[in-house]
Amino acid sequence: DTFKYSEDSGKWEPQATIDTPVDATNEIFRVATLNILADCFPRMVEYAILSDKRKKSLVEEIITQDATFLGLNEVTDQALSEILENDWIKKTYYVSKVPTDQGDAGAESYLLDPHGCVLFSKIPFLSAAVIAFMKNKREVKRKAIVGFFRLSLNEDVSKSVLFAVASVHTHSQ
């Protein structure tokens, strides 16, 4: 599932699959990724990175970026809850995941265990999926979130293209 905020219910609701192409004929897409630095570290680390002050600045940066597609890395349920409370974000974006305390978080609910990637899009998702990068046969090293979209690049909507955007958080070794 992917989600869109509903003013009627006052909640982030699962978005119905939309297979109708979005007209992108004259669109310029802005793509951004941000590593928001997970807020699930020990208290001393959290204090050192000023988590509360940084969260307020993060929402301001998301608004400033005004990206068509935005990938956030190192997102926890708590951070996602706070981001999704912003009125501008509610009006602007579809999202690949909602926090687990907001009902059915979808098949990717394990993605933020303890932190992971979330996609935001101004265009309705066709679908979203998680891709696991394996360290070995039994151990997942990293996960990526991939959003799929159907776009029409000219006036003939029958000639639409499948477009994908992904966000993955990588290791530095």
Side-chain angles (χ1 to χ4, degrees):
D1 286 343
T2 57
F3 302 85
K4 180 68 179 155
Y5 186 78
S6 166
E7 293 208 12
D8 293 336
S9 69
K11 298 188 314 185
W12 288 87
E13 301 280 349
Q15 171 202 336
T17 299
I18 299 172
D19 199 19
T20 306
V22 172
D23 183 8
T25 308
N26 296 311
E27 294 295 320
I28 295 174
F29 296 129
R30 185 177 176 101
V31 181
T33 61
L34 297 170
N35 183 326
I36 71 167
L37 193 53
D39 57 2
C40 60
F41 296 113
R43 191 76 182 133
M44 287 305 290
V45 173
E46 189 173 328
Y47 177 74
I49 60 174
L50 303 170
S51 289
D52 293 334
K53 183 177 180 183
R54 195 173 37 78
K55 286 177 194 169
K56 183 178 184 248
S57 297
L58 171 65
V59 171
E60 292 170 2
E61 183 63 24
I62 290 170
I63 293 168
T64 299
Q65 289 294 321
D66 195 21
T68 312
F69 304 102
L70 173 66
L72 295 183
N73 301 332
E74 289 198 25
V75 181
T76 62
D77 263 350
Q78 179 180 341
L80 185 58
S81 291
E82 292 173 16
I83 293 166
L84 294 180
E85 288 175 2
N86 180 274
D87 289 336
W88 186 86
I89 289 172
K90 288 176 183 177
K91 292 175 188 166
T92 304
Y93 285 116
Y94 295 85
V95 65
S96 64
K97 161 134 184 36
V98 295
T100 52
D101 67 352
Q102 293 188 22
D104 179 11
E108 291 81 29
S109 60
Y110 66 88
L111 188 61
L112 302 186
D113 184 24
H115 59 78
C117 303
V118 178
L119 281 179
F120 290 72
S121 173
K122 290 183 178 180
I123 296 172
F125 288 84
L126 178 60
S127 65
V130 175
I131 297 174
F133 297 97
M134 305 301 289
K135 185 174 186 176
N136 54 46
K137 288 183 181 181
R138 293 187 180 98
E139 187 179 359
V140 174
K141 183 170 184 173
R142 289 287 180 188
K143 298 175 204 129
I145 182 74
V146 183
F148 298 94
F149 308 89
R150 185 165 305 283
L151 304 177
S152 173
L153 302 177
N154 58 41
E155 292 179 12
D156 184 358
V157 294
S158 67
K159 295 183 179 176
S160 63
V161 295
L162 188 61
F163 181 75
V165 175
S167 185
V168 63
H169 178 240
T170 57
H171 272 254
S172 56
Q173 296 285 339

